[in-house]
Amino acid sequence: MTAAVAGTVGRGKMNPLNSSREEPMSRPALRVTTVAAALVAATALSGCGDTSGGTAASYKGEKISTEQVQDAVRDITTEQPTSQFDPTSAAIFMALGNDLESLAKKHGVYTSADVARQAFKKVTDPTDAAVRSVQGSFNFTSLRDSASGNLDLQKLFKDADVKLNPRYGTWEKGKGPVDNTSNWIKGSAEPALN
């Protein structure tokens, strides 16, 4: 149900589900419609229609939470304040982590989680999310710098269908991440429900 339909229903106008009759909607139906409108609004504000509001990214059934992304960015920027490591990178490196790991092993350029954890000197107990992000970053960089690995990396980015919460940008299948974080909450021309 759209906000326009919910707005019409909320003001006690005709029932949009039965537009041939000009009868006012009953009170119980109004409550159900209002709850449905709230669910639609919550889904729209969460940024991802197919994931919960706390999901930053999902790929092949694995969901990366916004909390994991925040933990990773916090630990990595504490460790290396000039790194410019951003939430989009954290979400993508964690979402693609298993595929990056498989490709890096295939091409002999694999970095383990233990090696990634050892990269932290200032942060004595990095979160698993930070370690996963660093491991993904190391494996990505190694594949990119490997002649044969780079071809498989390009294929991964061409074929992968990562679902990103719009606050972290957009993933375009065939291209990879596309920055579009400037206006991730869409406004509505419709008046708010009364």
Side-chain angles (χ1 to χ4, degrees), residues 3-187:
V5 171
T8 301
V9 172
R11 288 189 216 103
K13 306 262 179 169
M14 64 183 256
N15 182 343
L17 301 177
N18 188 359
S19 59
S20 65
R21 295 173 42 194
E22 297 287 326
E23 298 173 12
M25 249 186 141
S26 69
R27 202 70 171 137
L30 177 61
R31 274 190 224 114
V32 171
T33 303
T34 304
V35 170
L39 289 173
V40 169
T43 301
L45 289 175
S46 75
C48 291
D50 65 337
T51 58
S52 70
T55 302
S58 62
Y59 176 64
K60 289 186 174 179
E62 181 168 1
K63 292 184 179 186
I64 307 303
S65 72
T66 55
E67 182 179 8
Q68 288 174 298
V69 170
Q70 292 166 355
D71 289 348
V73 172
R74 182 195 63 236
D75 287 354
I76 292 167
T77 56
T78 298
E79 181 66 33
Q80 197 172 36
T82 60
S83 70
Q84 298 180 350
F85 191 78
D86 64 340
T88 301
S89 298
I92 291 170
F93 286 140
M94 283 189 278
L96 292 176
N98 291 335
D99 284 359
L100 291 169
E101 183 176 324
S102 295
L103 290 175
K105 284 178 179 178
K106 173 183 171 184
H107 293 284
V109 295
Y110 171 69
T111 299
S112 70
D114 289 337
V115 170
R117 188 174 300 280
Q118 291 170 9
F120 289 91
K121 305 294 183 222
K122 290 181 193 173
V123 178
T124 57
D125 189 22
T127 60
D128 288 341
V131 172
R132 286 179 63 196
S133 293
V134 168
Q135 181 185 17
S137 175
F138 286 174
N139 285 327
F140 171 85
T141 302
S142 297
L143 286 163
R144 185 192 62 205
D145 295 343
S146 161
S148 62
N150 192 0
L151 294 174
D152 277 346
L153 183 62
Q154 288 178 33
K155 182 174 178 1
L156 172 62
F157 272 66
K158 181 180 179 225
D159 296 343
D161 191 15
V162 177
K163 303 290 184 221
L164 278 178
N165 182 314
R167 76 176 70 176
Y168 300 111
T170 302
W171 180 276
E172 287 186 22
K173 191 173 180 180
K175 292 182 181 179
V178 177
D179 184 25
N180 118 9
T181 57
S182 59
N183 186 19
W184 63 274
I185 297 179
K186 304 250 187 270

